[in-house]
Amino acid sequence: MDSKKTLDIALQNILRDNDDYTFVKDTALVYLACSENVAHMVGRRSSAELVGRTDQDIFPRELADKYRADDLQVMKSGQPILGMVERLPDINGQEHWTKTWKYPLYDAEQQLLGMYGVSRDVTKVVDLEREAAAARRYLDLIHHLPGGVGILHEEHGGFYLDYANDGWAAVHHMGIKDGNGWQGRDVSEFIYEPDSAAVWAEYERVKANPGTEGCATYRVRGENGELHWLNIRYQRAYEENGRQYYYACYMDVDAQKQTEEKLQESQEMLREAINNSGVQYFTYYPAQHTSQIHSLNAHYKKLPMVWENFPDSFIEFARMLPADAAAYREMVERMDKGADAASCTVRMFYHGVYLWQIVHMAAIRDKSGRTIRVLGYSIDVTARKEAEERLRQERMHLRTLEGNVFEAFSFNLTKNVQPTLQTSDSGMEAA
């Protein structure tokens, strides 16, 4: 067998058996030969079906035009294309990528015969590079999150930090900006001792219930020695070498705690104000005919907090007289029928005496205008009523005295005698 025939057979075997996409084209870019992989890639049974065809006959137009432009550049310039990564179609529509080398083909007299090329499937490599790039982006995102993120595990009675983002140190008010500087540390040493028992109790709960999420709020002492509040949420991540690892996120809740403290202080001040005032607040729910007192003042601390079947239950409890009961019911009925506000002045029996109350109610509506609840308050005006009654009686007494003086004056005039008026002062002097 001569050497040329041996080379032809070897070339056929190479084109048949290698895993790359190998091809040879003439100067018109017509396929002269190609590997079986090229044929299978475009859905043909054998490479013989591609011989005599061009890329325009085989590939989608966008890819065919691209391949043709590259091939013409190689033949015109005489310069090969080395290791170009390009997209390759797949018969199933899946995206594939190849790394391609293309060379001009000359005869012994350096006359251009065409070109040839080899493409290697690098889809897995491209996918890995994409995943790596995505991972780098995700890692960059995690590092720049405003809160702290960490991976930790429990060992020998401590929580050891295996990973921390840059925000971890900031949340803990530590001077080192890079969270990685704290890796390997037992972070339980940062927990303020009075809060430690609650944190560990939460961990034991999560450990006993693997599907649950842990949540704890505790204090840490920052670099400047001051205490700061933070919240941690964590859950099981993975197990490795007999250790259970946890994903954790941390948030600085100093501002929240300060707000809660101010709110609690305001609520205490409000309760104190209500407790020492003659005003009692309540909420009425028309749909349920239920009334609820949120905080009792010192004057009415024996009142029930919730009233079902309102207002009848309250009227009965207060032993209202018929006229007062009618006025109170009329006020509530007006609110039931959609009034914006209503009020009345009634007496209620409490601790053995009747007390006067001014009661006012105002509607709270939803977006549709329906009354969903009614805010009410009552003011004890017993002292004012008693003062008004004393004033009324005093006026009546004065009117009586005025009448007697007028009669005495008339009598003296009829007697043609100069009247003498004795004041209380003159009476005291005579005494």
Side-chain angles (χ1 to χ4, degrees):
M1 183 179 296
D2 59 36
S3 58
K4 184 178 183 306
K5 189 173 183 180
T6 300
L7 289 173
D8 288 342
I9 294 173
L11 178 60
Q12 292 174 9
N13 289 338
I14 291 173
L15 293 176
R16 181 191 67 204
D17 298 332
N18 79 83
D19 293 331
D20 294 332
Y21 303 105
T22 307
F23 51 89
V24 180
K25 302 177 185 177
D26 63 17
T27 54
L29 299 180
V30 175
Y31 279 90
L32 300 177
C34 67
S35 63
E36 295 299 320
N37 272 352
V38 175
H40 297 159
M41 179 260 294
V42 296
R44 306 302 172 90
R45 287 175 296 181
S46 71
S47 59
E49 296 184 35
L50 301 185
V51 174
R53 296 178 180 273
T54 66
D55 288 328
Q56 279 73 14
D57 301 323
I58 301 170
F59 296 102
R61 179 175 179 179
E62 179 184 354
L63 288 178
D65 290 345
K66 198 268 182 189
Y67 296 157
R68 180 177 177 82
D70 291 341
D71 295 345
L72 290 173
Q73 176 187 338
V74 167
M75 291 190 297
K76 181 179 180 179
S77 67
Q79 299 297 318
I81 290 176
L82 303 176
M84 175 178 61
V85 177
E86 57 185 347
R87 190 166 66 88
L88 191 69
D90 186 270
I91 187 172
N92 297 320
Q94 297 176 350
E95 189 176 58
H96 277 234
W97 294 86
T98 61
K99 197 169 189 178
T100 301
W101 293 260
K102 292 184 176 182
Y103 303 87
L105 184 61
Y106 301 99
D107 62 12
E109 284 76 29
Q110 292 300 304
Q111 295 295 315
L112 183 67
L113 300 177
M115 54 82 61
Y116 69 97
V118 178
S119 293
R120 184 160 298 152
D121 193 322
V122 292
T123 303
K124 291 183 179 179
V125 175
V126 171
D127 289 343
L128 286 174
E129 289 177 349
R130 285 178 171 177
E131 291 176 6
R136 286 192 294 272
R137 289 194 295 271
Y138 289 140
L139 191 60
D140 185 64
L141 171 65
I142 291 172
H143 270 302
H144 291 87
L145 284 174
V149 175
I151 299 175
L152 41 81
H153 71 276
E154 185 272 331
E155 183 181 1
H156 305 309
F159 273 118
Y160 291 86
L161 191 64
D162 297 280
Y163 167 81
N165 71 339
D166 293 347
W168 189 93
V171 168
H172 285 75
H173 295 266
M174 303 297 183
I176 298 177
K177 299 301 182 184
D178 184 3
N180 292 328
W182 298 96
Q183 291 183 18
R185 295 282 297 274
D186 178 6
V187 296
S188 60
E189 67 185 56
F190 299 126
I191 301 174
Y192 184 48
E193 182 59 32
D195 301 335
S196 182
V199 176
W200 279 101
E202 178 66 1
Y203 167 70
E204 293 296 335
R205 184 189 69 81
V206 173
K207 186 177 180 180
N209 302 275
T212 59
E213 177 186 82
C215 179
T217 300
Y218 57 93
R219 287 164 289 183
V220 297
R221 197 172 292 281
E223 188 179 49
N224 60 1
E226 295 181 0
L227 288 173
H228 299 275
W229 284 97
L230 63 85
N231 174 267
I232 179 176
R233 291 181 179 271
Y234 61 95
Q235 60 183 11
R236 284 177 174 242
Y238 57 91
E239 188 173 336
E240 188 176 276
N241 298 326
R243 293 176 179 170
Q244 179 62 57
Y245 290 81
Y246 295 84
Y247 292 136
C249 62
Y250 302 80
M251 290 186 62
D252 186 328
V253 292
D254 266 350
Q256 177 184 328
K257 279 293 183 179
Q258 290 172 4
T259 302
E260 289 175 356
E261 289 173 359
K262 290 179 180 179
L263 177 60
Q264 183 177 359
E265 182 180 349
S266 298
Q267 289 174 338
E268 289 175 355
M269 291 176 64
L270 178 60
R271 281 194 294 268
E272 187 68 17
I274 293 174
N275 188 52
N276 292 288
S277 72
V279 182
Q280 182 62 67
Y281 296 93
F282 63 94
T283 301
Y284 169 52
Y285 300 92
Q288 295 80 28
H289 283 282
T290 300
S291 180
Q292 181 177 357
I293 299 174
H294 300 287
S295 180
L296 289 169
N297 65 30
H299 302 288
Y300 302 108
K301 57 186 177 181
K302 298 295 185 181
L303 283 178
M305 300 289 285
V306 178
W307 299 87
E308 305 290 346
N309 191 30
F310 186 83
D312 292 343
S313 58
F314 179 72
I315 290 172
E316 181 180 354
F317 176 88
R319 302 184 192 178
M320 289 187 187
L321 300 176
D324 294 326
Y328 200 89
R329 283 196 177 94
E330 181 184 359
M331 174 189 68
V332 176
E333 286 174 2
R334 288 183 61 192
M335 302 310 299
D336 289 339
K337 293 177 180 179
D340 291 329
S343 60
C344 67
T345 302
V346 295
R347 287 161 291 182
M348 64 173 286
F349 190 81
Y350 187 74
H351 278 198
V353 295
Y354 272 100
L355 303 174
W356 282 96
Q357 302 282 319
I358 292 178
V359 186
H360 182 80
M361 304 180 84
I364 302 297
R365 308 182 189 279
D366 59 17
K367 293 181 179 179
S368 66
R370 182 176 61 91
T371 301
I372 54 176
R373 63 182 182 276
V374 174
L375 300 183
Y377 64 85
S378 63
I379 303 176
D380 189 324
V381 293
T382 304
R384 191 182 80 183
K385 282 288 187 179
E386 290 175 348
E388 289 175 352
E389 178 62 20
R390 286 194 299 271
L391 180 60
R392 186 187 66 81
Q393 293 177 1
E394 187 67 23
R395 286 174 176 172
M396 288 181 63
H397 180 64
L398 288 174
R399 289 194 189 99
T400 302
L401 290 177
E402 288 171 357
N404 292 335
V405 170
F406 179 76
E407 291 175 1
F409 218 69
S410 300
F411 175 78
N412 288 333
L413 289 174
T414 58
K415 298 293 185 176
N416 294 318
V417 178
Q418 183 70 29
T420 301
L421 296 179
Q422 182 175 338
T423 66
S424 58
D425 290 341
S426 61
M428 291 177 66
E429 290 171 358

